[in-house]
Amino acid sequence: MSSISHILIAGGGLAAQRCCETLRARGYDGSIAVACAEPVAPYDRPPLSKEWLAGEPVDPALRPPGWHAEHGVELLLGRAARRLDPHRRVLELDDGERLRYDRLVIATGSRPVALPGLEGFENVQPLRTLADAERLRGALAAGGSLAVVGAGLIGLEVAATARRLGLRVTVIEAGPAPMAAILGAEAGSRLARMHREEGVDVRVRTTVERALGSARVEALELVGGLRVPCDHVVVGVGVRPATAWLEGSGLDPAAVAVDELGRTSVAGVSAAGDAACRLDPLSGRQMPGAHWESAVRGGTAAACGLLGLPAPAPAIPSFWSDQYGVRLQCVGDPRAADGVAFAGDPAGRAFELTYMRGGRTAAVLLAGRPPAALRAARDRIDVQSHDHPRSIAA
Amino acid sequence: MSLIPEIDTSACVAHGDCVHVAPQAFRLDDVAVTIGVAPDELLIEAARACPSAAIVLIDSETGEEVRV
């Protein structure tokens, strides 16, 4: 391994943090600098739609104050990456400063997709950053009615938290059911029923036709004519990698493909987390990272790559959610399924859905099940069931 | 019954929920590590809080896993 003495990380989220931790844990003693667009030290996003949003006294910081100084990690906060010159190995920040590096890790995460008809209103927002969450927490504390556009993980968790706080909540989803594109119709209809039982007005197979109001949205008019009055609107219709700043660098700003050690096609440049498209060892497909665990594994893998260490063992993809005290856990890739088997109480909230593909278990979704059930589910996932055709982006 | 927590290090990705629930019993490294004792109720709460189900609770008398 050639000598590396200066590692620069663009982005300061979970992947960046785990990359720093692994670098130090494995003995790297050169410098590390983290340029983070947000003005706060790395924090954990999952609580921002759940307990933190509800006003519980949880601290989202990933590490205690002082950790970065103690571990020789220089935090450049409030400073976003603007341009990359990989030939000179220089990263330019949005304040014009140019930073040299031996190795760069792109970890700038993702940004929420905006809906054109809902831009520019005072009371419409995404939920991605701590600043977004602070704004939403203030709006929810004021009570009233909330419209959630998009029934994905973020939208459903916000809806559940808002109901817990006593707001009137409407969820508007273009698909046939909440999360149906990922989890299928069976899981989607159970999620819809749970939210309706909790008092959420769940509207599926419809979209926002237009927003009524001037500076503030007063109501959303849906396709079909229904009007949804709202004091506040959260848009959660997906994310895209926040890598537009890579234009002209030689890397594809739409999708930064990396190998199992986080290395890109450009010398000296790695990527991790939502900003990277990792080669999924189960499917052979280049998959954008979009969940907490993929950011953890990507950050760790990138650090191993920088240090010339072997890649960590491949892991089965997984994500979790908490809604109304029910924990949802998904392991494997349910999108690969050709059949779904249900087990549990048909009328209840505790169940397991097993997603089959070619007679093998491709994924398991657990709702309200104990930890041992998740361990058993992981053991049932069959890697052979993920036999997608191999295609490499970039 | 007295419970002994073990960490499944292949499953743990250091979410840190166990440390929030029972800081006397767990510490975060690359993965969670056990560092001390805690009341059974707290260990069960920690095991249930873990999104990765990486905490295995063992009955100290029988040596068997206790499903919680």
Side-chain angles (χ1 to χ4, degrees):
Chain A
M1 182 178 67
S2 61
S3 163
I4 301 172
S5 64
H6 191 88
I7 293 173
L8 178 58
I9 303 178
L14 177 61
Q17 177 64 31
R18 286 303 174 92
C19 185
C20 293
E21 291 173 12
T22 304
L23 287 169
R24 289 302 184 221
R26 306 292 162 88
Y28 170 71
D29 62 1
S31 76
I32 304 174
V34 176
C36 178
E38 292 180 61
V40 280
Y43 59 87
D44 207 21
R45 297 188 198 278
L48 303 187
S49 52
K50 300 189 270 288
E51 53 274 34
W52 190 92
L53 186 60
E56 287 181 31
V58 291
D59 179 3
L62 282 168
R63 290 285 173 173
W67 184 93
H68 297 88
E70 284 164 24
H71 289 79
V73 176
E74 185 186 6
L75 291 177
L76 308 169
L77 299 180
R79 301 173 73 187
R82 181 165 74 185
R83 210 173 66 84
L84 171 62
D85 181 345
H87 304 293
R88 293 195 173 84
R89 301 208 175 194
V90 167
L91 178 75
E92 185 179 303
L93 302 182
D94 58 356
D95 58 7
E97 187 173 356
R98 294 162 63 84
L99 303 173
R100 246 202 53 74
Y101 62 81
D102 296 323
R103 296 289 186 276
L104 174 72
V105 180
I106 295 166
T108 42
S110 56
R111 64 178 72 254
V113 173
L115 289 178
L118 287 175
E119 285 179 297
F121 291 102
E122 287 170 12
N123 58 339
V124 177
Q125 67 160 105
L127 175 54
R128 175 70 191 169
T129 64
L130 188 57
D132 293 336
E134 282 168 350
R135 185 180 166 203
L136 182 57
R137 190 162 70 167
L140 296 186
S145 57
L146 175 75
V148 177
V149 183
L153 274 185
I154 291 287
L156 294 179
E157 289 181 354
V158 168
T161 302
R163 281 302 298 149
R164 184 178 155 194
L165 296 173
L167 281 82
R168 293 184 302 280
V169 180
T170 306
V171 172
I172 300 148
E173 166 59 39
M179 295 200 69
I182 306 287
L183 296 176
E186 169 89 34
S189 67
R190 288 178 181 280
L191 286 170
R193 191 176 68 197
M194 178 170 78
H195 280 268
R196 285 178 179 136
E197 285 170 356
E198 295 286 345
V200 177
D201 186 0
V202 180
R203 301 280 168 170
V204 297
R205 296 185 197 277
T206 187
T207 54
V208 176
E209 176 78 40
R210 61 192 181 114
L212 308 175
S214 49
R216 296 173 59 81
V217 174
E218 285 154 20
L220 297 176
E221 189 174 298
L222 308 186
V223 171
L226 183 76
R227 285 191 180 188
V228 178
C230 48
D231 295 306
H232 205 76
V233 180
V234 171
V235 177
V237 293
V239 293
R240 296 286 178 273
T243 43
W245 60 277
L246 290 169
E247 190 71 52
S249 70
L251 285 163
D252 181 357
V256 179
V258 298
D259 66 10
E260 72 282 6
L261 283 162
R263 296 171 296 203
T264 71
S265 56
V266 169
V269 180
S270 300
D274 286 10
C277 287
R278 294 186 75 191
L279 182 66
D280 173 20
L282 298 184
S283 65
R285 286 190 303 183
Q286 213 82 30
M287 307 270 279
H291 293 297
W292 196 96
E293 295 199 10
S294 68
V296 166
R297 296 187 193 282
T300 300
C304 291
L306 296 180
L307 300 179
L309 300 170
I316 298 166
S318 66
F319 65 87
W320 86 100
S321 177
D322 293 316
Q323 298 166 29
Y324 309 109
V326 176
R327 173 154 290 180
L328 300 166
Q329 288 161 308
C330 182
V331 286
D333 184 359
R335 291 169 299 185
D338 55 26
V340 178
F342 174 86
D345 173 5
R349 294 183 180 180
F351 63 86
E352 295 187 21
L353 283 177
T354 301
Y355 297 78
M356 304 299 291
R357 180 180 170 85
R360 302 168 190 266
T361 301
V364 180
L365 175 70
L366 303 104
R369 299 283 291 135
L374 177 61
R375 289 200 292 278
R378 260 196 306 255
D379 291 342
R380 282 159 54 205
I381 304 287
D382 194 323
V383 174
Q384 299 303 314
S385 66
H386 296 262
D387 56 349
H388 304 275
R390 179 169 292 258
S391 69
I392 309 291
Chain B
M1 184 168 63
S2 178
L3 296 173
I4 301 168
E6 291 180 357
I7 305 294
D8 176 351
T9 55
S10 68
C12 179
V13 281
H15 284 93
D17 298 64
C18 56
V19 179
H20 288 293
V21 174
Q24 66 272 58
F26 301 97
R27 180 171 60 81
L28 274 196
D29 234 324
D30 265 17
V31 294
V33 291
T34 55
I35 54 169
V37 295
D40 286 355
E41 311 81 71
L42 270 190
L43 294 175
I44 290 168
E45 190 184 336
R48 287 180 175 156
C50 176
S52 297
I55 300 171
V56 180
L57 298 177
I58 306 294
D59 183 330
S60 62
E61 285 160 26
T62 65
E64 299 286 313
E65 179 185 343
V66 178
R67 299 204 151 207
V68 295

